């Protein structure tokens, strides 16, 4: 029986050697393979008598067995065979490299024209793929100084094939995207590269855009705040960089446009091919939150503060109960009685005086929506914190009155209630792409979901260098206090060694709690969370998190985006030096960043040694900036000054040094500030590269970046994202996750953790001491997988429910775009179809094809038809009686043949002679064919008579309508504008109401499960009925509005009354 276990000496504070009793470890020797570390006492469970006979394996033998198992698993996996197949493409690309290398810049750029010509002549993208990839590789080498590795070629091929490329952090996913983006942009149909925020979209458009622009492609960028004209221009580019929310809202806004000029996307085919960066974040993490465009509804705003004060009086457990897992609240009998008494109402659910919704929302705001966790308060507004990214989402608001309830709880001004005008989920949005691909560092754990929901496989692309990161066992604590204390001690020990540390927390509150603990020990550190004072320096903070002595405490903001380079990011350091030297001379508006005293750990980070030549250039650039600002009376804002420096830095990367020097000399009389800053940046960058390289080597010797996770998330992917910040591109590094049984995840899902508490107490007699080992890890990961399954069920349900709405949305939006972008003739055809459909509805309600016309309600048909048509009918039709119509139908049945051309019922007024010309006759005949082939008409002996009646009344209404328009004297353009406006307005009005009804239905059908009925099936059935009714009401109102308008000549502002 083993009596000692090893652990990593780099992870234990020095005092641990003197206080072994305080930190015993539960680490079975079978799972410990670090031989070089010091030994510590191991707590061992006695073996039962019936299991004493066992075989003990050495750690080295077990390690060898694990390696064999992993090797065999890799060889036999489907992923391995797929990757091997891609190496054929890699070999082909490599064979093109010598001849592409010999091309001049002009010849290389001309390859794009050649490829497009070959595509027009019948070749496919597969024919030119290898050569195109070789061209992009060479262009990147010339413009960015980066050559695609072979594994990056594989990544590009995976994206082109419409799959998800899983590539570890630091493997160059951004560069990989250029391959598939370029190849698919050659078709001229547009490629969207979708990122998770504006910063990354702008960075990638500027950075990777150099490759595409060099090769002759146009590159667009969509950013928040852009005008429609800019958006339209950028969407017309060959490659457009945007973020997922802007893309979704542009699609929704285009489907709310009232004229063709307001459209910004590439209609009629706005979607062709998309590359989604961090695809798991967009399609899975954001999958629970649909995109909404809302109108304002000011009703009942005063009820929220009243409900909020009532919620403070109600006591949990006595007046209401909560369910953390799904954020639900249920009032008890005592709670209902107290609420009704306080609100002076006899029924909280009274439709005339509804209070239940407001009380429930106030209780949810009280229990589930915590300040500095789910939201922060800034400038008098409650701003949502994305729980998965840690970032503030200023434009997002909770729906169904939750946001107003939070505002009331905080005593803020109540914003207007939202009424949904348009909505779509990210799943439905990206399903609109005929070809979709994505890239991320963490997707394999969700591969089944991607296959089930989107039919997209996940291909794990091998790393360029082996991953040598050491993922240490999870430590489990009984209490949160013990966890935070050990986290502080581990950070402190790493700081004494000089190793950089990144600590991941789940909320603003937790990050600041740990920060306070470190301040007590006077350990300098950076904090990165959603608060403005920290978030403003997000990219800079993360970029320098790999420097020696750097301690960074972050929410999930640090999980994605900027790479953490050991020794620091030289480009960002050089830019920072430039800004510190030049900005004060360019602008007087440099903001002071409030970060609670010492802004960061700069006082312990090594200073950058800037050489004499760089110092001289910095002084020259600063002096020039001062002269430009003073002598040319140029007043720069802070953002303008920063943009000017950024443009100069970009100039330095796109123009040769000799050319920059030439520009500086030529503009010497005009203060060549831009070229001077560019030259200075190049010199300072050389110094920074040298400094970061040396410091990076020192950090590697110390063990690299150490990542500490202070809680398990609801998904293994989020944890893996944090782990992936360490061990970038073959660098050394280590990770450690610490969890306490008081963490939110265990409470939220009501996981049974009593066994673990008893185990810890039995082993340590101290609840603040952790245990670790294979058994504990297996149990905790099992709980995490259960949480993943729960949220997968939510997303699956959301997708299944949204698929019902997706079909309806597609029908409405296709119809809308047809109306909006179609010509005048197509608009008229829609009006005629609507009129015929309305007439059909009138007739179908009062006839039975299986019975003689004498049994039909002909009087009801005539009355409703006359009410519908109103004043546009001539006097001859007004005199038609029920008896005359019946006689005509009987006489029609006796006729041997009937002419459809200029058809009318016998002995009844003929239709106005308006169907003149080939177009009019063709339109009339097309409607008759539609009537004859209509399956909605019941079969029966008198079905033909029903169809003739439909034909007669439909033609009469349409002909009378056209006659009235002709008599009005308005030109055709004005008439069609009115028709289009009415069509769009009524469709939008009823679609908005339909969305509200469908949202209410999705909540209501869940109750039906108590009656052993499937909520999804109920939603489909009732949703279909709602949609049919909505279309019928839309047609009816459209026809009534047009008939009323032309018959009464109402003013345009009365059009929609």
């Amino acid at each position: 029986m083993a009596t000692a276990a090893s652990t990593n000496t780099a992870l234990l504070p020095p005092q641990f050697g003197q206080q072994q009793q305080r930190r015993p470890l539960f680490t079975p020797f079978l799972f410990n393979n670090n031989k070089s570390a010091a030994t510590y006492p191991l707590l061992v469970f006695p073996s039962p008598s019936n299991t004493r006979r066992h075989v003990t394996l050495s750690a080295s033998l077990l390690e060898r067995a694990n390696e064999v198992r992993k090797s065999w698993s890799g060889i036999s996996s489907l992923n391995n065979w797929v990757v091997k197949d891609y190496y054929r493409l890699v070999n082909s690309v490599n064979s093109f490299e010598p001849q592409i290398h010999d091309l001049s810049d002009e010849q290389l750029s001309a390859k794009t024209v050649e490829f497009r010509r070959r595509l027009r002549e019948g070749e496919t993208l597969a024919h030119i793929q290898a050569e195109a990839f070789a061209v992009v590789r060479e262009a990147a080498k010339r413009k960015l100084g980066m050559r695609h590795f072979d594994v990056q070629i594989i990544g590009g091929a995976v994206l082109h094939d419409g799959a998800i490329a899983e590539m570890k952090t630091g493997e160059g996913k951004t560069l990989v995207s250029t391959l598939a983006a370029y190849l698919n942009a050659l078709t001229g149909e547009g490629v969207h590269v979708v990122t998770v925020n504006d910063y990354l979209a702008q960075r990638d458009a500027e950075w990777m855009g150099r490759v595409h622009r060099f090769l002759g492609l146009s590159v667009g960028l969509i950013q928040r705040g852009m005008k429609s004209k800019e958006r339209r221009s950028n969407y017309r580019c060959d490659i457009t960089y945007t973020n997922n929310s802007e893309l979704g809202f542009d699609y929704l806004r285009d489907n709310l446009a009232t004229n063709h000029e307001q459209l910004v996307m590439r209609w009629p085919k706005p979607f062709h091919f998309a590359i989604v960066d961090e695809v798991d974040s967009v399609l899975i993490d954001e999958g629970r939150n649909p995109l909404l465009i809302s109108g304002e509804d000011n009703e009942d705003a005063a009820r929220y503060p009243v409900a909020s004060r009532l919620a403070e009086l109600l006591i949990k457990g006595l007046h209401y109960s909560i369910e953390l897992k799904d954020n639900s609240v249920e009032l008890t009998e005592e709670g209902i009685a107290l609420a009704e008494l306080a609100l002076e109402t006899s029924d909280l659910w009274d439709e005339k005086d509804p209070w239940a919704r407001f009380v429930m929302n106030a209780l949810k705001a009280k229990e589930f929506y915590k300040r500095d966790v789910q939201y922060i308060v800034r400038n008098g507004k409650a701003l949502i914190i994305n729980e998965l990214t840690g970032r503030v989402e200023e434009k997002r608001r909770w729906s169904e009155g939750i946001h107003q309830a939070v505002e009331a709880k905080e005593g803020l001004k109540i914003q207007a209630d939202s009424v949904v005008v348009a909505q779509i989920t990210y799943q439905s949005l990206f399903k609109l792409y005929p070809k979709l691909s994505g890239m991320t560092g963490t997707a394999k754990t969700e591969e089944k979901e991607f296959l089930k929901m989107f039919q997209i496989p996940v291909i794990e692309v091998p790393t360029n260098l082996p991953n040598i990161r050491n993922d240490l066992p999870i430590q489990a604590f009984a209490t949160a206090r013990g966890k935070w204390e050990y986290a502080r001690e581990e950070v402190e020990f790493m700081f004494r060694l000089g190793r950089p540390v990144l600590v991941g927390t789940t909320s603003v509150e937790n990050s600041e709690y740990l920060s306070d603990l470190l301040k007590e020990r006077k350990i300098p550190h950076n904090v990165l969370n959603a608060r403005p004072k920290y978030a403003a320096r997000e990219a800079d903070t993360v970029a320098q998190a790999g420097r020696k002595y750097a301690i960074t405490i972050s929410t999930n903001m640090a999980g994605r985006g900027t790479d953490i380079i050991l020794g620091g990011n030289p480009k960002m350091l050089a830019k920072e030096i430039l800004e510190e030297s030049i900005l004060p001379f360019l602008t007087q508006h440099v903001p002071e960043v409030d970060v609670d005293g010492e802004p960061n750990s700069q006082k312990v980070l090594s200073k950058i040694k800037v050489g004499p030549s760089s110092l001289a250039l910095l002084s020259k650039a600063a002096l020039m900036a001062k002269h430009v600002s003073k002598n040319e009376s140029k007043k720069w804002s802070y953002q303008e000054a920063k943009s000017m420096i950024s443009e100069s830095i970009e100039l330095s990367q796109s123009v040769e040094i000799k050319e920059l020097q030439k520009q500086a000399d030529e503009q010497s009389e005009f203060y060549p500030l831009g070229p001077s800053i560019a030259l200075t940046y190049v010199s300072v960058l050389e110094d920074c590269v040298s400094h970061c390289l040396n410091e990076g080597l020192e950090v590697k010797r110390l063990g690299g970046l150490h990542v500490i996770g202070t809680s398990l998330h609801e998904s293994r992917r989020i944890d893996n994202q944090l782990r992936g910040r360490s061990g970038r591109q073959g660098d050394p590094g280590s990770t450690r996750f610490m969890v306490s049984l008081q963490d939110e995840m265990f409470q939220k899902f009501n996981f049974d953790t009593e066994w673990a508490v008893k185990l810890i107490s039995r082993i340590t007699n101290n609840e603040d001491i952790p245990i670790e080992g294979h058994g504990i890890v297996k149990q905790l990961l099992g709980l995490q997988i259960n949480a993943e399954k729960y949220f997968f069920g939510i997303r699956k349900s959301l997708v299944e429910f949204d698929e019902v709405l997706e079909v309806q949305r597609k029908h409405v939006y296709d119809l809308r775009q047809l109306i909006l972008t179609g010509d005048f003739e197509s608009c008229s055809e829609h009006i005629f179809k609507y009129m015929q459909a309305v007439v059909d509805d009138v007739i179908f309600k009062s006839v039975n094809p299986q019975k003689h016309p004498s049994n039909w309600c002909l009087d009801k048909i005539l009355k409703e038809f006359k009410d519908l048509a109103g004043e546009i009918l001539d006097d001859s039709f007004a005199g038609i009686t029920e008896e005359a119509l019946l006689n005509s139908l009987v006489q029609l049945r006796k006729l041997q043949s009937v002419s459809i051309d200029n058809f009318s019922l016998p002995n009844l007024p003929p239709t106005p002679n308006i169907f003149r010309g080939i177009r009019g006759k063709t339109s009339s005949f097309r409607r008759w064919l539609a009537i004859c082939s209509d399956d909605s008409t019941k079969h029966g002996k008198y079905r033909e008579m029903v169809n003739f009646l439909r034909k007669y009344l439909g033609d009469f209404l349409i002909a009378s309508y056209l006659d009235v328009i002709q008599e009005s004297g308005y030109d055709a353009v004005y008439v069609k504008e009115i028709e289009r406006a009415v069509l769009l307005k009524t469709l939008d009005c009823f679609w908005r109401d339909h969305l509200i009804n469908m949202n209410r239905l999705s909540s209501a059908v869940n109750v039906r499960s108590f009656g052993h009925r499937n909520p999804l099936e109920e939603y489909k059935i009732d949703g279909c009925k709602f949609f049919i009714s909505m279309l019928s009401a839309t047609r009816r109102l459209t026809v009534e509005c047009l008939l009323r308008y032309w018959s009464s000549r109402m003013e345009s502002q009365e059009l929609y009354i």
Side-chain angles (χ1 to χ4, degrees):
M1 189 174 291
T3 59
S6 61
T7 186
N8 193 333
T9 55
L11 297 179
L12 293 173
Q15 65 268 29
F16 279 21
Q18 305 165 5
Q19 301 177 3
Q20 293 177 8
Q21 294 301 320
R22 190 179 167 210
R23 193 178 187 181
L25 301 175
F26 172 52
T27 311
F29 75 100
L30 288 179
F31 302 96
N32 190 356
N33 50 30
N34 187 353
K35 301 178 182 178
S36 61
T39 59
Y40 293 89
L42 173 67
L43 294 166
V44 184
F45 297 106
S47 300
S49 58
N50 61 346
T51 60
R52 288 185 184 276
R53 300 174 64 183
H54 60 275
V55 179
T56 303
L57 296 175
S58 69
S60 59
L61 183 58
L62 180 64
E63 182 180 352
R64 214 169 296 127
N66 284 336
E67 288 177 359
V68 171
R69 180 179 54 79
K70 289 179 181 177
S71 298
W72 171 250
S73 176
I75 292 171
S76 60
S77 71
L78 177 61
N79 189 91
N80 182 67
W81 289 105
V82 171
V83 169
K84 277 191 173 182
D85 189 58
Y86 277 122
Y87 272 104
R88 292 190 300 167
L89 173 67
V90 172
N91 294 333
S92 182
V93 173
N94 290 337
S95 68
F96 276 108
E97 191 167 13
Q99 67 184 72
I100 299 296
H101 175 75
D102 294 337
L103 298 177
S104 66
D105 285 357
E106 292 74 17
Q107 290 173 324
L108 188 61
S109 179
K111 277 290 183 181
T112 300
V113 178
E114 177 192 328
F115 290 146
R116 284 181 161 167
R117 175 183 55 77
R118 288 166 61 181
L119 290 174
R120 286 195 300 270
E121 291 173 355
E123 291 192 44
T124 66
L125 292 179
H127 291 123
I128 64 173
Q129 182 178 4
E131 189 175 359
F133 278 17
V135 166
V136 176
R137 173 189 264 181
E138 182 63 27
K141 191 163 66 174
R142 297 185 189 185
K143 303 307 293 182
L144 303 178
M146 295 187 288
R147 176 186 175 276
H148 294 79
F149 298 127
D150 286 355
V151 292
Q152 291 176 313
I153 298 293
I154 293 174
V158 170
L159 295 179
H160 170 65
D161 289 341
I164 292 172
E166 180 181 277
M167 302 180 68
K168 302 303 179 187
T169 301
E171 290 297 307
K173 292 187 289 291
T174 306
L175 185 62
V176 165
S177 67
T178 57
L179 297 165
Y182 173 78
L183 180 62
N184 286 271
L186 294 173
T187 62
E189 296 177 273
V191 171
H192 295 161
V193 182
V194 185
T195 65
V196 292
N197 57 48
D198 273 352
Y199 164 73
L200 292 177
Q202 183 176 12
R203 184 201 69 178
D204 294 352
E206 293 172 356
W207 189 17
M208 298 297 121
R210 294 181 214 153
V211 175
H212 300 306
R213 283 187 283 266
F214 173 71
L215 293 174
L217 298 181
S218 55
V219 178
L221 172 65
I222 304 297
Q223 295 273 273
R224 187 176 64 180
M226 277 186 173
K227 302 296 183 184
S228 295
K229 185 177 180 181
E230 292 178 275
R231 291 176 183 270
R232 191 179 304 111
S233 173
N234 285 314
Y235 275 120
R236 295 296 183 275
C237 292
D238 295 313
I239 300 173
T240 303
Y241 287 83
T242 181
N243 70 65
N244 51 315
S245 62
E246 290 297 325
L247 179 71
F249 284 124
D250 280 337
Y251 174 71
L252 291 178
R253 280 190 290 262
D254 271 8
N255 283 290
L256 293 174
T258 56
N259 58 65
H260 187 266
E261 289 70 30
Q262 292 177 349
L263 299 177
V264 298
M265 303 186 82
R266 286 181 171 224
W267 294 97
K269 293 182 178 180
F271 304 112
H272 167 54
F273 174 57
I275 301 172
V276 185
D277 192 14
E278 308 297 359
V279 64
D280 56 327
S281 175
V282 174
L283 295 185
I284 293 181
D285 297 338
E286 299 290 341
R288 290 183 251 166
N289 305 315
L291 290 168
L292 304 173
I293 291 183
S294 305
E296 292 189 349
D297 182 4
N298 290 310
E299 291 184 13
D300 300 323
R303 292 179 184 253
Y304 289 104
V306 177
S308 181
R309 289 194 292 272
L310 173 62
E312 294 301 318
L313 298 175
L314 300 178
I315 302 171
K316 184 172 68 173
L318 175 62
H319 299 121
Y320 63 93
S321 60
I322 65 171
E323 181 61 54
L324 286 170
K325 187 162 66 173
D326 56 4
N327 285 7
S328 61
V329 174
E330 184 176 354
L331 285 169
T332 63
E333 292 295 331
E334 292 83 356
I336 293 173
L338 179 58
E340 290 177 346
L341 179 65
L343 297 172
E344 299 180 352
T345 180
S346 59
D347 184 4
L348 289 177
W349 286 267
D350 185 357
E351 292 184 2
K352 296 180 180 178
D353 187 26
W355 275 103
R357 178 169 70 94
F358 300 96
V359 174
M360 293 296 190
N361 282 343
L363 290 172
K364 288 179 182 179
K366 173 185 174 182
E367 295 293 340
F368 306 131
Y369 295 83
K370 305 295 185 184
R371 185 167 178 167
D372 294 337
V373 180
Q374 278 80 22
Y375 66 93
I376 63 170
V377 176
R378 183 197 301 172
N379 300 328
K381 295 181 179 179
L383 303 178
I384 296 174
I385 299 175
N386 188 312
E387 295 181 23
L388 297 163
T389 65
R391 293 185 173 88
V392 172
E393 299 187 342
E394 296 187 12
K395 298 182 80 174
R396 182 179 154 204
R397 287 177 65 83
W398 289 302
S399 58
E400 299 179 353
I402 292 293
H403 212 104
Q404 288 76 14
V406 170
E407 289 168 337
K409 182 182 79 169
E410 295 291 344
L412 305 174
K413 180 182 177 183
I414 307 296
Q415 303 292 323
D417 247 340
S418 57
V419 177
V420 178
V421 177
Q423 75 177 55
I424 192 171
T425 61
Y426 283 121
Q427 290 97 332
S428 295
L429 175 68
F430 285 101
K431 281 180 181 178
L432 296 173
Y433 284 93
K435 185 176 174 183
L436 177 65
S437 66
M439 40 187 193
T440 180
T442 50
K444 206 65 179 176
T445 57
E446 312 295 339
E447 182 175 19
K448 290 182 180 179
E449 184 166 351
F450 281 116
L451 281 171
K452 187 176 183 66
M453 300 291 191
F454 305 98
Q455 293 76 52
I456 304 177
V458 177
I459 307 299
E460 195 172 359
V461 180
T463 56
N464 187 50
L465 295 173
N467 185 353
I468 60 173
R469 184 184 70 230
N470 185 16
D471 294 326
L472 299 164
I474 296 173
Q475 289 182 332
F477 296 79
T479 65
R481 181 188 62 218
K483 179 185 73 173
W484 291 115
E485 182 64 22
Y486 268 73
R488 180 195 59 73
E489 289 183 0
E490 190 149 302
V491 170
E492 182 176 1
F493 178 65
M494 291 296 171
F495 175 73
R496 304 302 176 203
L497 287 179
R499 284 185 67 182
V501 180
L502 173 65
V503 185
T505 62
T506 56
S507 68
V508 173
E509 184 180 35
N510 287 341
S511 66
E512 294 179 348
Y513 176 75
L514 182 57
S515 175
D516 291 338
L517 291 179
L518 293 180
K519 285 177 183 177
E520 291 175 3
R521 294 296 185 97
K522 295 183 170 50
I523 298 175
H525 59 278
N526 289 319
V527 176
L528 181 57
N529 59 36
R531 294 199 189 281
K533 60 187 179 183
Y534 302 126
R537 291 179 52 84
E538 175 187 348
D540 295 336
T541 302
V542 175
Q544 308 313 326
R547 297 190 65 187
K548 190 177 179 182
Y549 292 108
I551 306 295
T552 308
I553 303 172
S554 174
T555 57
N556 292 341
M557 296 171 77
R560 298 179 184 268
T562 310
D563 276 347
I564 298 178
I565 303 174
L566 298 185
N569 187 318
K571 291 184 178 180
M572 300 197 76
L573 280 175
K575 183 179 179 182
E576 188 176 336
I577 291 171
L578 244 67
E579 289 179 347
E580 287 178 357
S581 303
I582 297 173
L583 276 178
F585 297 99
L586 278 179
T587 179
Q588 302 299 317
H589 307 291
V590 179
E592 294 184 4
V593 181
D594 173 25
V595 285
D596 298 333
E598 187 66 31
N600 45 43
S601 55
Q602 291 293 335
K603 63 182 180 181
V604 295
L605 300 182
S606 58
K607 301 297 181 183
I608 307 298
K609 295 180 180 179
V610 179
S613 60
S614 298
L615 286 173
L617 288 170
L618 280 170
S619 300
K620 180 180 177 181
L623 186 63
M624 197 173 294
K626 181 178 180 181
H627 280 291
V628 168
S629 180
K630 183 177 180 181
N631 295 351
E632 298 184 9
S633 301
K634 177 68 176 177
K635 294 184 179 180
W636 306 76
S637 68
Y638 176 70
Q639 288 301 329
E640 287 174 339
K642 285 199 70 171
S643 296
M644 191 270 173
I645 293 175
S646 297
E647 290 170 5
S648 301
I649 291 173
E650 188 174 346
L651 181 68
S652 72
Q653 297 172 336
S654 58
V655 179
E656 298 290 337
I657 299 293
K658 292 181 180 179
E659 180 64 26
L660 284 175
Q661 190 63 57
K662 183 180 178 182
Q663 290 182 18
D665 294 340
E666 288 177 353
Q667 301 177 21
S668 57
E669 299 179 4
F670 304 99
Y671 300 113
L673 187 57
S676 295
I677 292 177
L679 285 169
T680 304
Y681 174 79
V682 172
S683 180
V684 173
L685 180 60
E686 290 179 1
D687 297 331
C688 291
V689 168
S690 176
H691 177 90
C692 291
L693 182 61
N694 292 330
E695 187 172 315
L697 292 173
E698 191 173 352
V699 171
K700 288 178 183 179
R701 284 195 296 271
L702 293 172
L705 176 69
H706 183 55
V707 171
I708 300 175
T710 57
S711 176
L712 289 180
H713 291 79
E714 294 162 356
S715 170
R716 287 168 292 170
R717 285 182 307 100
I718 310 298
D719 294 339
N720 290 337
Q721 288 163 16
L722 186 58
R723 286 190 180 98
R725 309 309 286 164
S726 178
R728 171 186 176 274
Q729 292 187 359
D731 288 341
S734 56
T735 66
R736 165 81 80 188
F737 271 75
M738 303 177 179
V739 300
S740 84
L741 303 183
Q742 295 177 342
D743 285 348
E744 182 184 4
M745 186 177 76
F746 301 113
Q747 298 176 17
K748 188 172 185 178
F749 291 92
N750 293 323
F751 287 145
D752 179 17
T753 56
E754 186 178 349
W755 63 271
V757 175
K758 290 180 179 178
L759 180 63
I760 294 174
S761 301
R762 177 184 173 188
I763 296 172
T764 66
N765 295 320
N766 187 338
E767 291 184 345
D768 291 344
I769 294 179
I771 60 173
E772 62 183 55
H774 179 73
I776 296 295
V777 171
K778 187 176 180 180
Q779 291 284 350
L780 291 174
L781 291 180
L783 298 179
Q784 196 175 33
I785 291 171
N786 287 339
E788 288 179 358
K789 289 179 179 177
Y790 172 75
F791 285 114
F792 170 69
I794 292 177
R795 292 190 297 270
K796 182 172 177 287
S797 176
L798 178 66
V799 169
E800 289 174 341
F801 275 73
D802 193 62
E803 282 174 350
V804 179
L805 198 58
E806 185 180 342
V807 174
Q808 300 173 358
R809 183 190 300 110
K810 188 177 187 307
H811 178 88
V812 171
Y813 283 179
D814 286 350
L815 176 60
R816 205 179 186 285
Q817 288 300 324
L818 201 59
I819 296 169
L820 199 62
T821 60
D823 56 17
F824 289 158
E825 291 300 324
S826 66
C827 194
S828 296
E829 282 299 314
H830 281 298
I831 299 294
F832 298 160
K833 287 178 181 177
Y834 276 21
M835 289 184 171
Q836 184 64 62
V838 171
V839 168
D840 291 347
D841 288 342
V842 170
I843 293 173
F844 286 153
K845 289 187 292 185
S846 303
V847 301
N848 185 344
Q850 297 173 346
K851 295 182 179 181
H852 190 271
S854 59
N855 296 314
W856 297 353
C857 300
L858 297 178
D859 58 335
K860 186 178 179 181
I861 293 175
L862 286 173
K863 182 180 184 306
E864 193 168 348
F865 182 77
K866 291 175 182 177
D867 291 342
L868 171 69
E871 298 178 9
I872 71 167
L873 295 177
D874 56 27
D875 295 336
S876 62
F877 192 91
I880 297 178
T881 63
E882 177 186 0
E883 184 179 357
L885 180 57
L886 175 60
N887 292 335
S888 179
L889 290 171
V890 171
Q891 188 175 351
L892 176 67
R893 185 170 174 75
K894 297 177 182 179
L895 297 178
Q896 296 295 323
S897 62
V898 177
S899 173
I900 295 302
D901 192 19
N902 294 324
F903 169 78
S904 62
L905 291 176
N907 302 323
L908 293 183
T911 58
N913 188 22
I914 203 66
F915 297 114
R916 292 184 291 268
I918 188 65
R919 288 184 178 177
K921 293 183 181 296
T922 301
S923 174
S924 177
F925 185 65
R926 195 182 295 122
R927 285 196 305 280
W928 170 245
L929 290 178
I931 289 172
C932 294
S933 60
D934 185 7
D935 292 333
S936 62
T937 309
K938 293 180 181 179
H939 290 279
K941 185 177 179 180
Y942 300 97
R943 178 178 177 179
E944 291 79 6
M945 298 180 68
V946 174
N947 288 342
F948 281 125
L949 181 59
R950 292 167 63 190
K951 168 72 173 169
Y952 174 70
L953 294 183
D955 280 359
F956 208 102
L957 182 64
I958 294 168
S960 301
Y961 170 75
L962 293 175
D963 206 18
V964 169
I965 288 177
Q966 196 174 54
E967 291 174 1
S968 69
Y970 289 110
D971 62 4
V973 175
Y974 176 76
V975 171
K976 300 312 172 188
E977 285 179 355
I978 294 296
E979 289 180 344
R980 180 171 289 157
V982 174
L983 282 167
L984 293 175
K985 190 70 175 181
T986 51
L987 183 61
D988 290 346
C989 177
F990 280 102
W991 176 244
R992 180 188 64 204
D993 292 343
H994 180 68
L995 288 177
I996 295 172
N997 291 334
M998 292 296 284
N999 285 335
R1000 290 174 178 169
L1001 178 63
S1002 66
S1003 301
V1005 292
N1006 289 322
V1007 180
R1008 302 184 191 179
S1009 61
F1010 293 111
H1012 304 288
R1013 292 152 74 181
N1014 188 327
L1016 179 60
E1017 293 301 319
E1018 294 290 311
Y1019 182 77
K1020 288 179 179 179
I1021 294 169
D1022 287 358
C1024 183
K1025 292 177 181 178
F1026 284 2
F1027 189 62
I1028 293 172
S1029 299
M1030 184 271 289
L1031 292 178
S1032 178
T1034 301
R1035 292 191 292 263
R1036 180 74 181 227
L1037 183 61
T1038 300
V1039 171
E1040 287 177 350
C1041 283
L1042 287 171
L1043 295 177
R1044 191 165 68 245
Y1045 180 84
W1046 293 112
S1047 61
S1048 61
R1049 306 291 193 275
M1050 67 172 71
E1051 297 296 327
S1052 60
Q1053 60 265 29
E1054 301 177 49
L1055 186 59
Y1056 310 118
I1057 296 176

